[in-house]
Amino acid sequence: MRRSLKRTFGISGEVRITQEPPRLRVVENAHYLPFVHDGAWGVFDAERRIVEESVDFLGPERQLQHQVTDWPPDLSGPIEEAPEEHYLYLGQLNPHYGHFIVNTLARFWPMLDEGGDRPKLLCHGYFGGHELLAGRPFVTDILDRLGLRLADLTVFDRPVRIRRLTVAAPALREMASAHPVMAALGDAVGRASLDGVPVDAEARPVYLSKARLADYVQRVENEDEMADSLSRAGVDVVYPETLTFDEQVRLLARRRTIIAGLGSALHTALFAPPRRSMIVLSSDPQVNATYLLIDALKGNRSRYYHPQGLTYTQGSHRRLTFFEHPKRIAEELIFRIEHPEASDAWDDLDASATWHMSPSIPHLPSQLRRRRLFGMRSR
């Protein structure tokens, strides 16, 4: 069998689990500047310096995302005072499913503490505001699990001064680090979805397809050819965007084997039971560290593979990716599931220094072929 998948161990970013809880920083006489895409927005201290705990930095290099953190020089004069004495800042309300989980929800860990009076909750909006979020059922479902409604989240459309602001640092920093409380937050949100669900009860594998996803960052354009082959081999093909939030969580809980391409649907594992077994296809040999952070928090048994022979075409807004041999990839995925000892042997080869540095997958050494680990003739 000529292989089409190479186990990838490269990481884009950093995977660091920090045991102590995220920081809660109290800022007196803070300033709030409303969201402006690629402009100056955020929360600033009394000296008009950005409050670093409030910023969603990307990766260990702490890259900014559509935000300028310097106080705008053209903003001067008095700023009106917020109506409440004390607010708890919970970041930006991002309407994208994956970013809502890893950026927005990551700051909601103080909601796990049910003791005492809770200050008013303050966030930054996004294009479309609360009206857009109300049309995202996963947003209202997740907030409901934390005892919240959209109306509980204050967003100002103008600069305001806040007498006392508590800033919740994120429990997960994208492509950089995470705290165990992020897993506790995911468990709290997913608990109602999992009531009465038998974990690992279904041996039939499931493939999470992006073939029908209209709003996406990246996708393999001929993925449906691979999905059709998987389906004919007995794998259930599911389109996550057609399922409710509850149905997605339950699906990951019941299935013993989950196959997917790298994408936001995998973040649902944060709400599922621990130790999910996932086979993930990555169009890049460097895996985004955010997925590995969630794996580490949940104890997932995930393996990431880079299909060989990918081709790319630049579209007007997206880079389009194509499998060279989609049916062959499906055959190898099925073979790996049915013969885990063979899959482990291949992975061991890819993990070794010599094999890992190879630009393509080399043929199996003759001694492995003679051992007939793979139950087939080499060719």
Side-chain angles (χ1 to χ4, degrees):
M1 180 180 190
R2 184 176 178 182
R3 294 172 55 196
S4 295
L5 300 175
K6 185 176 183 179
R7 179 77 181 269
T8 178
F9 300 91
I11 301 173
S12 178
E14 186 174 276
V15 180
R16 178 164 46 89
I17 303 298
T18 305
Q19 293 301 318
E20 65 266 18
R23 186 178 180 189
L24 279 174
R25 178 180 171 185
V26 178
V27 183
E28 305 291 343
N29 294 313
H31 296 85
Y32 173 105
L33 299 186
F35 170 72
V36 179
H37 187 71
D38 287 335
W41 62 273
V43 293
F44 298 76
D45 63 19
E47 284 72 40
R48 300 185 173 182
R49 298 170 302 198
I50 194 72
V51 177
E52 289 209 358
E53 288 83 356
S54 72
V55 180
D56 287 329
F57 293 109
L58 178 65
E61 298 84 10
R62 294 163 59 88
Q63 300 174 23
L64 292 171
Q65 304 181 72
H66 306 299
Q67 182 180 16
V68 175
T69 57
D70 295 325
W71 186 268
D74 58 346
L75 182 60
S76 58
I79 296 177
E80 72 171 90
E81 201 164 90
E84 300 291 336
E85 175 78 23
H86 184 202
Y87 291 85
L88 172 62
Y89 181 71
L90 297 176
Q92 186 185 49
L93 299 170
N94 196 310
H96 180 272
Y97 181 74
H99 288 291
F100 185 85
I101 293 171
V102 302
N103 298 130
T104 301
L105 182 63
R107 294 182 184 273
F108 278 64
W109 56 271
M111 300 300 101
L112 297 176
D113 185 2
E114 300 178 357
D117 293 331
R118 183 182 293 168
K120 281 284 187 180
L121 306 180
L122 178 65
C123 297
H124 271 89
Y126 199 74
F127 300 112
H130 278 25
E131 293 78 12
L132 175 62
L133 293 169
R136 300 283 199 270
F138 68 85
V139 173
T140 52
D141 286 345
I142 290 173
L143 291 178
D144 180 69
R145 305 294 173 80
L146 298 173
L148 297 173
R149 302 166 301 154
L150 273 173
D152 296 323
L153 308 178
T154 300
V155 174
F156 293 116
D157 60 2
R158 61 200 181 281
V160 296
R161 186 175 69 85
I162 301 168
R163 293 183 289 280
R164 186 166 179 248
L165 180 66
T166 300
V167 178
L172 185 150
R173 285 200 180 274
E174 199 175 355
M175 297 176 65
S177 62
H179 302 257
V181 72
M182 186 70 182
L185 184 59
D187 291 344
V189 171
R191 191 170 296 123
S193 300
L194 296 173
D195 187 28
V197 175
V199 178
D200 289 336
E202 179 58 71
R204 186 181 178 94
V206 64
Y207 174 63
L208 309 182
S209 174
K210 298 171 70 174
R212 298 181 186 175
L213 189 63
D215 183 16
Y216 61 92
V217 176
Q218 60 177 344
R219 189 180 72 183
V220 178
E221 294 301 300
N222 59 342
E223 173 199 343
D224 52 349
E225 296 181 42
M226 182 191 72
D228 289 344
S229 294
L230 288 174
S231 179
R232 287 194 294 272
V235 176
D236 288 331
V237 177
V238 172
Y239 306 93
E241 67 276 9
T242 68
L243 305 178
T244 67
F245 177 74
D246 276 343
E247 288 170 341
Q248 291 185 60
V249 177
R250 292 167 185 162
L251 178 70
L252 296 194
R254 286 195 298 264
R255 300 295 176 133
R256 297 180 196 171
T257 304
I258 299 124
I259 309 170
L262 211 64
S264 297
L266 291 173
H267 295 337
T268 307
L270 183 69
F271 313 111
R275 296 178 293 281
R276 298 299 83 209
S277 179
M278 298 191 287
I279 300 173
V280 185
L281 304 182
S282 172
S283 59
D284 195 304
Q286 302 287 319
V287 176
N288 184 309
T290 302
Y291 298 92
L292 303 177
L293 286 167
I294 294 177
D295 286 342
L297 289 171
K298 300 291 294 188
N300 292 332
R301 303 183 293 271
S302 298
R303 297 186 179 192
Y304 296 84
Y305 295 94
H306 179 53
Q308 300 299 284
L310 290 176
T311 57
Y312 306 93
T313 302
Q314 187 61 50
S316 56
H317 302 290
R318 300 180 176 98
R319 185 179 71 165
L320 310 180
T321 306
F322 298 86
F323 288 138
E324 182 180 23
H325 299 293
K327 294 180 180 179
R328 185 185 296 171
I329 291 174
E331 291 171 358
E332 182 172 334
L333 287 169
I334 295 300
F335 185 80
R336 284 178 177 274
I337 293 170
E338 294 179 347
H339 302 274
E341 74 288 350
S343 185
D344 289 345
W346 277 335
D347 288 351
D348 288 344
L349 291 174
D350 292 341
S352 65
T354 303
W355 290 67
H356 181 54
M357 295 302 293
S358 173
S360 62
I361 300 175
H363 295 292
L364 290 173
S366 58
Q367 64 268 27
L368 283 180
R369 294 200 296 269
R370 286 196 298 269
R371 283 165 58 187
R372 297 188 176 275
L373 278 176
F374 303 99
M376 61 180 68
R377 294 179 181 177
S378 60
R379 55 185 177 135

